């Protein structure tokens, strides 16, 4: 965190904004690489302010189309409480479209929602009344949770989600209208798919890639379709996008004439306005359920305070071993000491050492005390 002063005056074409919401999304992993692997994503620069999806309100304007009080959004919003921006990168939005829930413009009624809607419309080839089955991987995530609902709204007769916890499976089936959900960490995924999709798979909304996708493809029907929304399991690997399929799986794809196409939502800007109106209408009619997690404060964007809150919340339960308090105290003490032993201008690699010490303590705690400290921080599960 760094505190700076904004310029006293803004130039022609600029606006001063106050940030209301910022979004943390999976694609940001790619922006940590020198080569993002995409021509539309630029890497974050060292010593420069991080940016991403954001929404805020204009406090001062010298732009001909934007006035004070307008609510605006951008895909390149700096992580600042206030900022001076070029008005050309901003888009004015109507708060009535989201019933006043402005954060939805960064989620279900924004880029993730448009990605799901346009991707399914353009690449899913769904025909209402044709008894199609859709499978969604990463189904409890941003695009996946919306994609399954949209697939149903567009005409799929059966929607099955794949995710990684029992709680997420319950969310999909009890709140989001999925017919079935598969926990890929439990049991045989192929067998569960056969049970959940007795008529095979016609449309696969792929957010994950890797082994899960290979398993789904092996159970897809003739002339079926894969919608390549994301490949998050592959983002840490040095492979092209989309990643190549194993030869046996590729043979299945060709034999069954399964389409597997990537798409870039930014190439469909002419469909943004009708897409936003459709998503807004479904939301207002109660047909599109929106789930999100909001964390307060710019200082918490990195999740450190959120992790602390999770730990303190866990300590308030009576089920934890009493010596966990000592272990947690040691965890913070060692981190504190290690960070101050290092020069404050040291490199990222040096700053990573306290994190290593912290994980050693947590791992020791899990082994000795038998306590699970699986802390998951979701910034926006629907965006």
């Amino acid at each position: 965190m760094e505190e700076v002063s904004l310029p006293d005056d803004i130039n022609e074409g600029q606006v001063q904004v106050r940030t209301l919401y910022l979004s943390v999304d999976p694609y940001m992993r790619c922006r940590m690489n020198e080569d993002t692997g995409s021509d539309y994503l630029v890497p974050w620069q060292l010593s420069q302010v991080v940016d991403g999806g954001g929404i805020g309100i204009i406090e001062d304007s010298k732009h001909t189309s934007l006035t004070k009080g307008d609510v605006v959004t951008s895909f390149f919003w700096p992580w600042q409480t206030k900022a001076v921006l070029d008005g050309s990168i901003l888009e004015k939005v109507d708060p009535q479209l989201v019933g006043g829930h402005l954060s939805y413009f960064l989620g279900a009624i924004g880029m993730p929602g448009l990605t799901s809607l346009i991707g399914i419309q353009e690449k899913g080839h769904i025909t209402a009344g044709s008894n199609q089955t859709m499978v969604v991987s990463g189904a409890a995530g941003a695009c996946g949770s919306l994609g399954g609902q949209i697939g149903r709204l567009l005409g799929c007769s059966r929607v099955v989600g794949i995710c990684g916890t029992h709680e997420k499976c319950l969310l999909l089936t009890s709140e989001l209208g999925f017919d079935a959900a598969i926990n890929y960490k439990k049991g045989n995924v192929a067998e569960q798919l056969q049970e959940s999709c007795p008529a095979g798979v016609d449309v696969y909304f792929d957010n994950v890639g890797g082994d899960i996708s290979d398993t789904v493809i092996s159970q897809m029907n003739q002339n079926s379709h894969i919608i390549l929304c994301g490949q998050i399991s592959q983002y840490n690997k040095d492979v092209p996008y989309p990643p190549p399929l194993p030869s046996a799986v590729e043979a299945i794809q060709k034999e069954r004439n399964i389409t597997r196409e990537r798409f870039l939502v930014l190439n469909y800007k002419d469909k943004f306005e009708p897409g936003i109106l459709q998503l807004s209408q479904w939301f207002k009619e109660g047909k599109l359920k929106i789930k999100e997690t909001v964390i307060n404060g710019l200082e918490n964007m990195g999740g450190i305070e959120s992790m602390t809150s999770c730990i303190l919340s866990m300590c308030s339960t009576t089920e934890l071993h009493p010596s966990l308090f000592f272990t947690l105290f040691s965890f913070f003490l060692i981190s504190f000491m290690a960070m101050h032993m290092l020069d404050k201008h040291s490199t990222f690699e040096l700053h990573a050492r306290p994190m290593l010490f912290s994980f050693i303590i947590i791992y020791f705690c899990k082994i000795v005390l038998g306590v699970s400290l699986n802390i998951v921080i979701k910034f926006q599960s629907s965006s």
Side-chain angles (χ1 to χ4, degrees):
M1 294 286 291
E2 184 178 20
E3 190 168 322
V4 298
S5 298
L6 294 178
D8 294 331
D9 296 312
I10 60 176
N11 299 323
E12 290 298 324
Q14 292 183 326
V15 297
Q16 179 176 309
V17 296
R18 174 167 53 88
T19 304
L20 299 177
Y21 294 97
L22 297 168
S23 179
V24 178
D25 301 287
Y27 77 86
M28 290 178 166
R29 173 62 187 85
C30 303
R31 298 192 68 187
M32 297 179 189
N33 299 337
E34 186 175 3
D35 179 6
T36 65
S38 303
D39 52 6
Y40 66 96
L41 284 180
V42 295
W44 283 326
Q45 300 298 310
L46 295 177
S47 302
Q48 299 299 313
V49 179
V50 173
D51 65 352
I55 189 167
I57 189 167
I58 293 179
E59 295 189 328
D60 191 13
S61 175
K62 286 189 178 179
H63 190 277
T64 55
S65 302
L66 301 171
T67 60
K68 182 177 180 179
D70 285 345
V71 179
V72 290
T73 185
S74 173
F75 194 61
F76 299 102
W77 195 288
W79 285 14
Q80 298 176 201
T81 55
K82 291 189 177 185
V84 173
L85 303 175
D86 189 330
S88 63
I89 72 167
L90 300 174
E91 179 184 354
K92 187 161 60 174
V93 294
D94 180 3
Q96 294 184 358
L97 290 175
V98 293
H101 297 280
L102 296 180
S103 60
Y104 289 1
F105 282 122
L106 301 180
I109 320 295
M111 190 65 72
L114 288 171
T115 300
S116 299
L117 175 63
I118 295 173
I120 293 172
Q121 286 177 329
E122 296 295 318
K123 304 298 183 180
H125 304 281
I126 294 173
T127 303
S130 58
N131 201 34
Q132 290 171 294
T133 295
M134 169 187 270
V135 169
V136 182
S137 60
C143 291
S145 62
L146 298 169
Q149 297 181 75
I150 292 170
R152 169 84 73 197
L153 290 167
L154 293 180
C156 282
S157 60
R158 186 167 181 79
V159 178
V160 176
I162 302 176
C163 53
T165 70
H166 176 66
E167 291 74 19
K168 290 178 181 179
C169 288
L170 285 178
L171 170 70
L172 296 180
T173 55
S174 64
E175 296 189 43
L176 302 186
F178 284 65
D179 295 287
I182 296 170
N183 182 350
Y184 69 87
K185 296 180 181 179
K186 300 289 185 181
N188 186 295
V189 175
E191 292 178 358
Q192 295 179 75
L193 266 175
Q194 289 176 348
E195 182 179 345
S196 301
C197 309
V201 180
D202 302 294
V203 183
Y204 175 36
F205 192 73
D206 186 6
N207 289 290
V208 174
D211 294 341
I212 292 176
S213 294
D214 297 343
T215 303
V216 176
I217 293 171
S218 67
Q219 300 194 29
M220 296 188 72
N221 294 326
Q222 193 76 22
N223 301 319
S224 52
H225 305 281
I226 300 171
I227 306 166
L228 276 177
C229 181
Q231 300 278 282
I232 197 168
S233 71
Q234 308 298 301
Y235 287 171
N236 280 355
K237 300 178 181 179
D238 186 16
V239 294
Y241 185 84
L245 295 171
S247 56
V249 178
E250 186 177 14
I252 293 174
Q253 178 199 350
K254 292 181 179 179
E255 179 185 345
R256 299 180 189 174
N257 192 34
I258 301 171
T259 64
R260 181 178 183 254
E261 299 178 278
R262 64 177 297 183
F263 74 97
L264 178 60
V265 70
L266 296 178
N267 290 338
Y268 297 90
K269 290 185 178 180
D270 60 317
K271 300 182 184 296
F272 279 17
E273 184 175 352
I276 290 292
L277 293 176
Q278 177 65 84
L279 293 166
S280 173
Q281 180 181 343
W282 281 337
F283 161 62
K284 291 180 178 180
E285 293 173 350
K287 295 179 179 178
L288 191 67
K289 307 295 183 183
I290 299 175
K291 308 295 291 186
E292 67 173 7
T293 297
V294 178
I295 293 176
N296 294 319
L298 181 64
E299 68 276 8
N300 298 325
M301 287 294 284
I304 300 301
E305 293 298 325
S306 303
M307 182 178 71
T308 305
S309 299
C310 287
I311 293 176
L312 293 177
S313 174
M314 292 165 62
C315 289
S316 67
T317 68
T318 58
E319 298 177 0
L320 297 182
H321 195 286
S323 56
L324 175 60
F325 290 98
F326 175 76
T327 304
L328 291 174
F329 176 75
S330 301
F331 160 52
F332 287 116
L333 181 60
I334 290 179
S335 296
F336 180 83
M337 292 174 61
M339 290 179 72
H340 283 76
M341 286 170 61
L342 300 170
D343 180 72
K344 66 180 181 179
H345 297 297
S346 57
T347 64
F348 173 82
E349 287 77 10
L350 288 178
H351 279 303
R353 293 180 187 175
M355 185 66 73
L356 176 61
F357 298 155
S358 302
F359 280 117
I360 291 174
I361 293 297
I362 291 179
Y363 190 69
F364 173 81
C365 175
K366 294 183 70 170
I367 294 176
V368 176
L369 302 178
V371 175
S372 175
L373 290 180
N374 297 317
I375 301 168
V376 179
I377 304 169
K378 291 194 299 182
F379 291 87
Q380 279 195 276
S381 58
S382 67
S383 67

